[in-house]
Amino acid sequence: MANWIKAEVIENRRWNKDLFSLVLDADVSPFVAGQFTKLGLEIDGKLIQRAYSYVNSPDSKYLEIYATRVADGLLSPQLHALEPGDSVMITKDAAGFFTLDEIPQGEHLWMLSTGTALGPYLSILQQDDVWQRFRKVVLVHAVRFSADLSYQAEINALKDTHSDQIIVQPFVSREPTAGALSGRITHALEDGMLERLVGLPLSAEQSQVMLCGNPQMVKDVRVLLEQKGLEKNLRRKPGNITTEQYW
């Protein structure tokens, strides 16, 4: 059973009316970048819990969780309402295998995400080993509206520090946005636009691809990548495609 402990809310970063990040202080066990924890609140006598990936580096002083408020959800509206000094329950031990040590060697690392699934990538990108292992890192973040492009300061800092390695490509599907591709990741993969814009090919010989977010996106992109000759990454049979669904 999960070992639940109390976390104190240090800050609630509200990016827009629904997207928010909780900065927490809790004595959790060491974790690996890319892993997830669970948050819980007692609601009507029951502990309501959900899984959330860590956004922060494992060596950060505070923990950070990136989430979206679901209007009819049981937990997320309550989390969204938390203020500094409030408490929330968190599992002491993290879990999950969406981590860099599960990724085979390659020349290019592609990180494709939708919505709040950007979170685990930000944690991984704060680690030195990703920059030592891969010549190029492509970070793709797909959202509906430009206001959903959170963590721009952190992403810009990565671009400043690793300007010769990182390529960042946002997608905004429901409004034109400067610097972002319109539409969906799948469309830009089907017509080759994403590879042309990034300037790198997606190939079994060079590419490792991490997919995180909307389960339909993960499924559809995996099919397109397999058509290009890339294979699912398994421990017993290493490949090119490593996936994590976000609900």
Side-chain angles (χ1 to χ4, degrees):
M1 294 181 64
N3 182 10
W4 290 91
I5 61 174
K6 186 174 290 187
E8 179 186 354
V9 178
I10 302 301
E11 182 183 0
N12 190 337
R13 305 173 70 183
R14 296 184 178 92
W15 304 100
N16 57 33
K17 68 181 182 66
D18 291 320
L19 290 171
F20 65 102
S21 294
L22 290 177
V23 180
L24 306 170
D25 187 13
D27 186 22
V28 298
S29 301
F31 67 93
V32 178
Q35 288 191 305
F36 65 86
T37 186
K38 290 183 179 180
L39 297 185
L41 288 171
E42 187 172 312
I43 300 173
D44 296 331
K46 295 181 179 180
L47 182 65
I48 305 301
Q49 56 182 284
R50 296 290 184 271
Y52 296 97
S53 293
Y54 282 119
V55 177
N56 58 289
S57 166
D59 57 6
S60 297
K61 179 179 180 181
Y62 295 123
L63 311 171
E64 188 158 349
I65 302 298
Y66 184 30
T68 186
R69 175 175 58 176
V70 179
D72 58 352
L74 290 176
L75 182 61
S76 63
Q78 304 289 335
L79 295 177
H80 183 270
L82 292 174
E83 297 290 350
D86 289 340
S87 296
V88 62
M89 301 304 292
I90 189 171
T91 51
K92 187 174 180 67
D93 299 312
F97 300 99
F98 197 66
T99 58
L100 201 63
D101 53 8
E102 297 288 334
I103 308 298
Q105 194 56 44
E107 190 170 356
H108 307 145
L109 178 64
W110 296 69
M111 296 174 151
L112 277 60
S113 65
T114 57
T116 57
L118 174 71
Y121 294 144
L122 294 178
S123 182
I124 292 169
L125 291 172
Q126 294 175 69
Q127 307 303 292
D128 291 337
D129 50 352
V130 67
W131 307 108
Q132 295 165 357
R133 285 187 53 190
F134 296 94
R135 187 174 67 84
K136 294 288 185 181
V137 175
V138 181
L139 178 63
V140 175
H141 186 206
V143 298
R144 294 177 299 171
F145 301 101
S146 59
D148 300 332
L149 292 171
S150 309
Y151 287 102
Q152 291 305 293
E154 289 81 357
I155 291 171
N156 287 334
L158 288 169
K159 290 163 70 174
D160 289 341
T161 305
H162 304 283
S163 58
D164 59 335
Q165 286 182 275
I166 192 168
I167 301 168
V168 178
Q169 183 55 63
F171 279 76
V172 179
S173 63
R174 298 192 181 178
E175 63 182 8
T177 301
L181 283 175
S182 60
R184 301 180 183 276
I185 295 174
T186 47
H187 299 155
L189 281 173
E190 285 175 323
D191 65 10
M193 174 62 75
L194 181 57
E195 290 168 89
R196 290 194 299 273
L197 198 61
V198 167
L200 298 174
L202 276 161
S203 68
E205 293 74 30
Q206 294 177 299
S207 309
Q208 286 295 326
V209 183
M210 301 177 76
L211 302 177
C212 188
N214 183 312
Q216 192 62 52
M217 181 280 288
V218 171
K219 178 181 177 181
D220 292 345
V221 170
R222 179 183 163 187
V223 169
L224 292 171
L225 293 175
E226 288 174 343
Q227 292 173 359
K228 293 177 176 290
L230 283 73
E231 298 181 350
K232 184 174 175 61
N233 179 36
L234 303 170
R235 282 184 170 178
R236 66 179 182 274
K237 186 183 178 184
N240 312 92
I241 309 167
T242 305
T243 65
E244 178 100 313
Q245 296 187 1
Y246 239 49
W247 61 80

